[in-house]
């Protein structure tokens, strides 16, 4: 689990038979715990043995800072050879020692805190699920009823706006003004025929005809001004 120092700083390595009998330990742990033993002539053979270990072991080890490595070394340096061998041969003893390291305690504490916080968040989310479902149902009701009614009203207002804009547009105004001029011209012709047919007297004819012609020429002037003026 811990990579205490590089191979150049190690004084001695375990014998090949010891390393093979405890292969479930990380190689850095094996090398570090045996560093307190006296150097033996088998050091060169052990280094050759370690160099033949799978390359993926070195990639699976997390880098350890010098301060952390020094802290673990301080725990191991006062142990006897028998205690170190027990750490290598007894998995329970190794795990017990590992859990007593301060760095491991801190990591385990952080892990437990994160796990508890995650569980609490999950419980809170589950507690809010009925409220979420209720709000979702309310949104569905609003979308199918109130929203539909509001959309229909909005469409009606848009239609009225379009009609109003069309009614007061310059083109519509010119068209209505021309229609009014045509109606006035037809009414003038009717009054004129009534006079010729002696249906009305001269005084009535003059009064009606004068009024119709004034209205006609007023509209004609407005129509002419509108046609000759630039409309933005």
């Amino acid at each position: 689990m811990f990579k205490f120092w590089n191979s150049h700083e190690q004084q001695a390595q375990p014998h090949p038979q010891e390393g093979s009998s405890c292969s479930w330990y990380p190689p850095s742990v094996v090398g570090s715990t045996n560093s307190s033993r006296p150097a033996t002539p088998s050091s060169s053979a052990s280094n050759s043995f370690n160099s033949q270990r799978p390359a993926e072991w070195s990639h699976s080890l997390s880098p350890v800072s010098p301060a952390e490595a020094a802290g673990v070394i301080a725990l191991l340096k006062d142990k006897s050879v028998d205690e170190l061998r027990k750490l290598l041969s007894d998995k329970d003893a190794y795990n017990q020692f590992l859990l007593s390291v301060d760095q491991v305690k801190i990591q385990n504490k952080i892990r437990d805190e994160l796990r508890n916080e995650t569980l609490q968040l999950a419980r809170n989310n589950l507690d809010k699920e009925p409220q979420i479902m209720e709000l979702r149902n309310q949104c569905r009701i609003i979308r199918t009823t109130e929203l539909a009614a509001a959309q229909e009203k909005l469409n009606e207002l848009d239609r009225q706006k379009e009609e109003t804009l069309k009614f007061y547009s310059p083109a519509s105004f010119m068209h209505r003004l021309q229609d009014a001029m045509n109606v006035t011209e037809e009414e003038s012709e009717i009054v004129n025929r009534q006079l010729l047919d002696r249906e009305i007297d001269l005084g009535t004819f003059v009064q009606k005809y004068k009024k119709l012609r004034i209205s006609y020429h007023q509209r004609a002037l407005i129509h002419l001004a509108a046609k000759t003026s630039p409309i933005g």
Side-chain angles (χ1 to χ4, degrees):
M1 178 178 181
F2 295 96
K3 186 176 181 181
F4 301 132
W5 54 72
N6 295 327
S7 60
H8 297 292
E9 299 173 352
Q10 295 177 348
Q11 296 178 356
Q13 295 291 342
H15 296 290
Q17 59 272 21
E18 292 177 355
S20 61
S21 63
C22 304
S23 59
W24 59 274
Y25 286 102
S28 60
V29 175
V30 176
S32 61
T33 55
N34 283 279
S35 62
S36 61
R37 300 179 183 179
T40 63
S42 61
S43 297
S44 59
S46 177
N47 290 333
S48 175
F49 171 77
N50 287 329
S51 64
Q52 298 174 358
R53 289 177 178 174
E56 60 269 13
W57 285 4
S58 61
H59 296 291
S60 63
L61 299 177
S62 300
V64 179
S65 66
E68 293 175 341
V72 178
I73 293 172
L75 296 176
L76 292 173
K77 69 179 181 179
D78 294 331
K79 292 186 179 296
S80 64
V81 174
D82 292 337
E83 290 176 330
L84 294 175
R85 285 178 177 172
K86 184 177 180 181
L87 289 177
L88 291 175
S89 60
D90 189 341
K91 188 173 183 178
D92 292 335
Y94 173 80
N95 289 333
Q96 184 177 3
F97 168 76
L98 184 65
L99 294 176
S100 67
V101 178
D102 290 339
Q103 291 85 345
V104 177
K105 291 180 180 179
I106 293 173
Q107 293 297 325
N108 288 341
K109 182 179 178 181
I110 294 174
R111 179 201 61 192
D112 294 339
E113 290 177 353
L114 291 175
R115 180 174 57 190
N116 293 334
E117 290 177 2
T118 304
L119 290 174
Q120 186 61 39
L121 288 174
R123 292 191 185 98
N124 292 340
N125 290 337
L126 290 175
D127 293 340
K128 293 178 180 179
E129 186 174 1
Q131 183 180 0
I132 294 174
M133 294 298 297
E134 177 64 23
L135 293 174
R136 187 175 298 168
N137 292 332
Q138 291 180 7
C139 291
R140 186 181 298 109
I141 293 172
I142 292 174
R143 186 166 56 250
T144 55
T145 56
E146 298 180 14
L147 180 61
Q151 186 65 42
E152 183 178 357
K153 184 177 181 180
L154 178 62
N155 293 337
E156 176 63 21
L157 292 175
D158 286 339
R159 187 185 62 80
Q160 294 179 5
K161 182 191 73 173
E162 293 297 330
E163 291 180 353
T164 302
L165 291 175
K166 183 178 179 181
F167 181 81
Y168 288 103
S169 65
S172 177
F173 173 75
M174 296 288 290
H175 181 72
R176 288 184 285 109
L177 188 60
Q178 184 64 52
D179 289 341
M181 290 169 58
N182 295 336
V183 170
T184 306
E185 185 69 22
E186 292 176 358
E187 291 178 352
S188 298
E189 292 295 331
I190 293 173
V191 172
N192 189 36
R193 274 198 307 271
Q194 290 176 346
L195 177 63
L196 296 176
D197 295 339
R198 298 184 182 275
E199 294 178 1
I200 57 174
D201 57 22
L202 183 59
T204 304
F205 167 78
V206 171
Q207 184 179 1
K208 288 184 177 182
Y209 193 79
K210 179 181 177 182
K211 182 178 180 181
L212 290 172
R213 298 319 293 174
I214 290 174
S215 177
Y216 174 84
H217 287 293
Q218 286 177 344
R219 291 169 180 171
L221 290 174
I222 295 174
H223 188 273
L224 180 61
K227 287 179 64 177
T228 55
S229 299
I231 300 175

